[in-house]
Amino acid sequence: MNFEKIVILDFGGQYTQLIARRVREAKVYSEIYPWDAPLATWMSGNVKGIILTGGPHTVTDEQARQCDRSIWSTHVPILGICYGAHLMAHVLGGKVRTADSGEYGEAAASLDVSHPLFEGRSPQSRVWMSHHDEIEGIPEGFKIVASTSNCPAAAIANDESQWYGLQFHPEVGHTEGGFEILQNFIYNICNIIADWDMASLAELSIESMREKLEGKKVISALSGGVDSTVSSVLVQKAIGSQLTCLFVDHGLLRKNEAEEVLSVYRGEMGLKVILVDARRRFLDALEDVTDPEEKRKIVGNLFIRIFEEEAAKLGGIDFLVQGTIYPDVVESGSGQAQVIKSHHNVGGLPDDVQFEGILEPLRLLFKDEVRELGRELGIPAEMIERQPFPGPGLSIRIMGEVTEARLRIVRESDAILREEIAKAGLARDIWQYFTVFLPVKTVGVKGDERTYANTIAIRAVSSADAMTAEASEIPYAVLRAISGRIINEIDRVNRVVYDVTSKPPGTIEWE
Ligand code: XMP
């Protein structure tokens, strides 16, 4: 694609994806590469700026992460943030030292507002610091353009070479005017054309797929989720009826969900969808299984098997559509994190499925961009604003064995929760909310009768990206109404509890 772009070299900082998103919010395309990616693998005429991110290391250590040294002779503007700034200073002949005590949190900075990087900023600005090391001696050709009382070289600049280093983090919301500082780098210094938007992306991507897929048969798996929906619609716009979608009903969906999404897919969206009713097969496969990871694997594998069977029935399929999005691409590239849960995305299948090729039309996009693209493509809001739903569905919201009776309980209680949240006008404020079935029986009293029945837990969280989350503070009256209805309307439940755990240490789903 021909968009001008900013390349971000990731040194392992916690804000790397945030930097990439901020650049895109400035309507400029950005790509993330690992810190040690050779220049030849990412450099091209379209690269108009380079950002070196923060990272947990000390630049003076022998093992310190160093990027390809030839970046210093590319004549492309470079912005180093935190570790990136240390690296810049260190490699170019300055001095970096480990301070006696680190600096974490807000600091008052004096900015040289006559410098293009700080144009339009206030001379005294609040900035966000998170570092232990600092630049002690600046390299030749550089000057100091911002300082704080603890950190004399809070920003350094070499205007001739267009190299800039910031000790603070402009990408986080706590830095006053931080986004504007990034924009100054992008617009004033990199001189880049701000042309990244979802309308042009859609146009380009549809055009290129139309060429590539001439006369080809394509298949995609719809899950009801945003990613599989948007990717399928994009492909449909390119090749129309050459695309066939499969919707596998594994029986682990919420109440009425299969009917509802199918009618939108086939109706307003005009997709050609084959419904595969596999409810019995999934239930049989899950019989007697209680281990969360085993459940996840069974659902994931059976889904793939069914998909392959259906594709074989159709015959002659050339391409498979996958709803992979950019965070999946970046995260699978680093692969450092421990597996907490083996994620299964019903819209996504492993690469070893036998097709001529895989189409991943969303692989460059962040989630909020996928939603924007969906809106651009005219997909109904109800499909785009759906809350996240795990691939293994309700199987991981039933603790212990999955049975038809338990599925009914979790489905009914979830429907009540959704109705009450909607009635209270809270649906948009809460990231995700659902009920969990606990196979724990407790004693209660209904009328004059003793009961001995199961427990339902309510999980509702606020979050920006599902990486961290806080339990939502649902008004007590709403909780009481939900609890009352669940106990009155569902036979085998006599107790409702509210989960107040944040993530970490909890996770959003219980399994
Ligand atoms: P956890 O439970 O790990 O979940 O805090 C984070 C987010 O991911 C969703 N989730 C999944 N999504 N396939 C998916 O596509 C999965 O296997 C899966 N498991 C969890 C979860 O609902 C939350 O939004």
Side-chain angles (χ1 to χ4, degrees):
M1 242 172 304
N2 289 326
F3 292 101
E4 293 192 339
K5 64 186 171 197
I6 298 272
V7 161
I8 296 161
L9 292 185
D10 178 14
F11 287 89
Q14 50 182 325
Y15 301 127
T16 302
Q17 289 203 19
L18 189 57
I19 299 172
R21 281 170 52 187
R22 290 273 178 273
V23 174
R24 294 195 189 182
E25 279 165 33
K27 296 206 169 300
V28 170
Y29 180 52
S30 61
E31 276 179 355
I32 301 172
Y33 288 90
W35 55 277
D36 54 351
L39 189 90
T41 59
W42 51 265
M43 193 61 192
S44 73
N46 290 349
V47 178
K48 298 293 172 197
I50 299 169
I51 297 181
L52 313 176
T53 75
H57 302 90
T58 289
V59 77
T60 47
D61 282 354
E62 232 158 76
Q63 308 295 328
R65 294 178 168 183
Q66 300 259 359
C67 54
D68 192 325
R69 278 185 170 254
S70 36
I71 68 164
W72 307 108
S73 33
T74 53
H75 303 290
V76 170
I78 302 177
L79 175 70
I81 297 175
C82 201
Y83 180 87
H86 302 158
L87 183 69
M88 179 179 284
H90 181 69
V91 170
L92 300 174
K95 192 160 185 283
V96 175
R97 70 173 194 116
T98 300
D100 300 332
S101 62
E103 192 182 21
Y104 302 93
E106 286 177 8
S110 309
L111 309 181
D112 173 359
V113 291
S114 66
H115 192 273
L117 200 54
F118 298 130
E119 188 189 289
R121 306 311 331 130
S122 140
Q124 296 299 321
S125 291
R126 191 169 29 87
V127 297
W128 183 257
M129 294 287 202
S130 176
H131 66 109
H132 211 97
D133 301 341
E134 65 182 31
I135 299 168
E136 191 178 34
I138 62 171
E140 217 181 293
F142 278 77
K143 62 184 176 188
I144 291 177
V145 288
S147 50
T148 71
S149 57
N150 262 334
C151 178
I156 58 171
N158 179 332
D159 292 317
E160 204 183 309
S161 304
Q162 295 190 296
W163 294 330
Y164 307 89
L166 300 177
Q167 178 61 76
F168 57 89
H169 290 270
E171 68 277 19
V172 303
H174 304 285
T175 292
E176 208 179 329
F179 182 47
E180 285 77 5
I181 297 174
L182 278 178
Q183 284 179 304
N184 283 343
F185 173 69
I186 295 166
Y187 302 142
N188 295 355
I189 293 164
C190 302
N191 260 321
I192 199 161
I193 303 169
D195 59 356
W196 172 253
D197 63 39
M198 291 307 116
S200 6
L201 174 84
E203 206 177 300
L204 280 175
S205 145
I206 290 170
E207 228 170 80
S208 78
M209 281 197 287
R210 197 169 282 153
E211 259 169 48
K212 176 174 169 181
L213 300 175
E214 212 190 317
K216 303 280 183 192
K217 266 171 98 175
V218 182
I219 192 169
S220 95
L222 287 169
S223 69
V226 182
D227 303 340
S228 71
T229 302
V230 175
S231 50
S232 301
V233 170
L234 204 56
V235 176
Q236 185 219 25
K237 298 249 181 218
I239 57 165
S241 63
Q242 286 162 251
L243 170 72
T244 305
C245 305
L246 289 181
F247 182 81
V248 178
D249 182 358
H250 53 18
L252 306 168
L253 298 171
R254 286 172 290 196
K255 192 176 174 183
N256 300 333
E257 196 163 29
E259 297 80 2
E260 280 168 18
V261 296
L262 211 60
S263 92
V264 181
Y265 282 147
R266 287 177 172 162
E268 278 170 86
M269 290 165 57
L271 289 165
K272 187 165 83 189
V273 191
I274 296 178
L275 167 68
V276 185
D277 181 355
R279 289 178 291 182
R280 191 72 251 163
R281 281 178 79 177
F282 279 91
L283 211 53
D284 288 347
L286 287 166
E287 199 179 334
D288 291 331
V289 179
T290 54
D291 179 71
E293 276 302 283
E294 213 182 311
K295 284 185 195 171
R296 285 176 168 273
K297 290 195 175 121
I298 288 172
V299 176
N301 292 337
L302 183 53
F303 182 85
I304 292 162
R305 210 171 323 136
I306 292 173
F307 190 87
E308 283 173 333
E309 287 168 18
E310 294 299 321
K313 276 191 217 161
L314 286 168
I317 301 290
D318 305 296
F319 282 88
L320 164 73
V321 183
Q322 289 229 46
T324 319
I325 66 171
Y326 200 51
D328 308 332
V329 176
V330 176
E331 271 151 30
S332 57
S334 62
Q336 304 286 337
Q338 196 195 351
V339 175
I340 307 290
K341 298 177 181 181
S342 40
H343 266 222
H344 157 56
N345 187 340
V346 171
L349 295 167
D351 299 344
D352 61 2
V353 190
Q354 291 308 307
F355 295 104
E356 179 186 329
I358 308 248
L359 299 171
E360 297 179 308
L362 311 179
R363 72 177 277 121
L364 302 178
L365 305 184
F366 286 109
K367 193 88 184 180
D368 42 350
E369 293 176 312
V370 174
R371 291 208 166 91
E372 204 187 318
L373 176 61
R375 280 188 282 270
E376 194 63 51
L377 295 171
I379 297 174
E382 71 214 68
M383 297 302 296
I384 291 179
E385 278 144 28
R386 300 170 72 83
Q387 41 171 322
F389 188 69
L394 299 178
S395 75
I396 55 161
R397 293 181 179 170
I398 292 170
M399 306 300 100
E401 195 195 345
V402 179
T403 63
E404 224 160 345
R406 289 175 174 186
L407 273 169
R408 190 183 60 77
I409 293 175
V410 82
R411 232 183 242 131
E412 292 301 326
S413 57
D414 181 74
I416 292 172
L417 173 71
R418 284 197 282 158
E419 273 172 38
E420 292 301 318
I421 294 284
K423 204 154 80 184
L426 296 171
R428 279 179 170 269
D429 305 337
I430 308 177
W431 166 269
Q432 206 171 356
Y433 47 96
F434 52 89
T435 58
V436 177
F437 174 89
L438 307 187
V440 175
K441 281 190 166 180
T442 70
V443 174
V445 53
K446 240 181 195 172
D448 290 330
E449 258 177 55
R450 175 187 193 268
T451 58
Y452 187 51
N454 289 298
T455 310
I456 281 291
I458 298 173
R459 182 68 163 149
V461 295
S462 55
S463 175
D465 49 14
M467 303 291 285
T468 61
E470 287 294 332
S472 297
E473 295 188 18
I474 297 180
Y476 194 70
V478 179
L479 284 176
R480 206 163 38 200
I482 297 166
S483 155
R485 278 195 59 194
I486 290 178
I487 290 168
N488 282 323
E489 294 175 31
I490 305 177
D491 254 2
R492 289 170 50 183
V493 178
N494 69 350
R495 195 172 293 272
V496 173
V497 296
Y498 189 65
D499 179 0
V500 293
T501 322
S502 56
K503 173 183 180 176
T507 51
I508 296 176
E509 304 287 347
W510 278 38
E511 287 193 337

